Amino acid sequence: MRTRIKICGFTREADVQAAVAAGVDAVGFVLYPKSPRYVSPQRAAQLARLLPPFVTPVLLFVNASATDIAQACALLPNALLQLHGDESPAFAASLQRPYIKAARLPLDPVEGFDLPQFCLDFARAHGILLDAKVDGFGGSGLAFDWARIPQPFPHQLLLSAGLKPETVGQAVTRFASLAPSFGVDVSSGVESAPGIKDAAKMQAFCRAVRQADAARCA
């Protein structure tokens, strides 16, 4: 019944340590050079050395080559992959590593997106992360309409896009029981600037998740 928590877009040692102290399950590093939260694979490996056992490093890629992904994974062999671009199911499978796949839902529902088919296409993913389709591939703080999420959800569900300490409890209450497992992913919602995390906001975010979990189990 416990909601998993991932915070993404770390660039500083102090922020990684603060996230661990707040109780996160996973810490994300953006290896997409066009992102304001970009870190090199070498820098990600340095930051990941601060993680204790059972806190998972996640490497976020956007349309990267298999070679680039393999080189980064050689530096962080225990990392989970997050494929956040237009990667195909065949490409994802060819990496032969555990991965989560981002489904980028258009902010305008008229644009359309076949989410059930997407989940079928990526049935081998460890989870489907729902994010808003924006320029720059995430981290915008914008949210899509939650009413577009199928209930029940046919895969392991990870919810991103627009979450913050004030709204994440609502997400847990609404969706945690509607998927085989549920997790939340936040970046800009706990920042003071892109790539600069706010320790108090991370604490508040994790606290809101745990309070919502406790209320569900009461």
Side-chain angles (χ1 to χ4, degrees), residues 6-10 28 30 35 37 138-141 160-164 185-198 201-202 205:
K6 171 177 172 277
I7 299 181
C8 195
F10 286 88
V30 179
S35 170
R37 300 170 181 87
S140 67
S160 185
L163 294 179
K164 51 188 177 180
D185 188 357
V186 65
S187 183
S188 61
V190 293
E191 288 183 332
S192 57
I196 307 300
K197 305 305 182 192
D198 183 302
K201 289 181 180 179
M202 290 192 289
F205 187 91

Side-chain angles (χ1 to χ4, degrees), residues 50-71:
L50 300 171
L51 300 178
F54 309 121
V55 176
T56 303
V58 181
L59 302 180
L60 186 154
F61 297 95
V62 176
N63 300 329
S65 70
T67 298
D68 287 345
I69 293 173
Q71 289 174 346

Side-chain angles (χ1 to χ4, degrees), residues 83 85-97 99 101-102 117-125 128:
L83 304 179
D86 304 310
E87 302 87 1
S88 69
F91 177 82
S94 74
L95 300 174
Q96 298 184 330
R97 291 187 61 92
Y99 72 94
K101 183 67 178 81
Q117 184 60 51
F118 186 93
C119 291
L120 285 174
D121 292 342
F122 288 96
R124 295 178 62 179
I128 300 297

Side-chain angles (χ1 to χ4, degrees), residues 121-141:
D121 292 342
F122 288 96
R124 295 178 62 179
H126 277 50
I128 300 297
L129 184 143
L130 304 186
D131 199 2
K133 184 180 179 181
V134 296
D135 293 337
F137 293 91
S140 67

Side-chain angles (χ1 to χ4, degrees), residues 132-197:
K133 184 180 179 181
V134 296
D135 293 337
F137 293 91
S140 67
L142 298 177
F144 58 86
D145 183 0
W146 288 354
R148 298 166 62 191
I149 301 177
Q151 301 183 30
F153 193 77
H155 208 307
Q156 317 293 343
L157 172 58
L158 306 169
L159 184 60
S160 185
L163 294 179
K164 51 188 177 180
E166 297 80 8
T167 61
V168 70
Q170 301 168 30
V172 173
T173 300
R174 183 167 179 177
F175 296 109
S177 63
L178 300 177
S181 67
F182 181 66
V184 290
D185 188 357
V186 65
S187 183
S188 61
V190 293
E191 288 183 332
S192 57
I196 307 300
K197 305 305 182 192

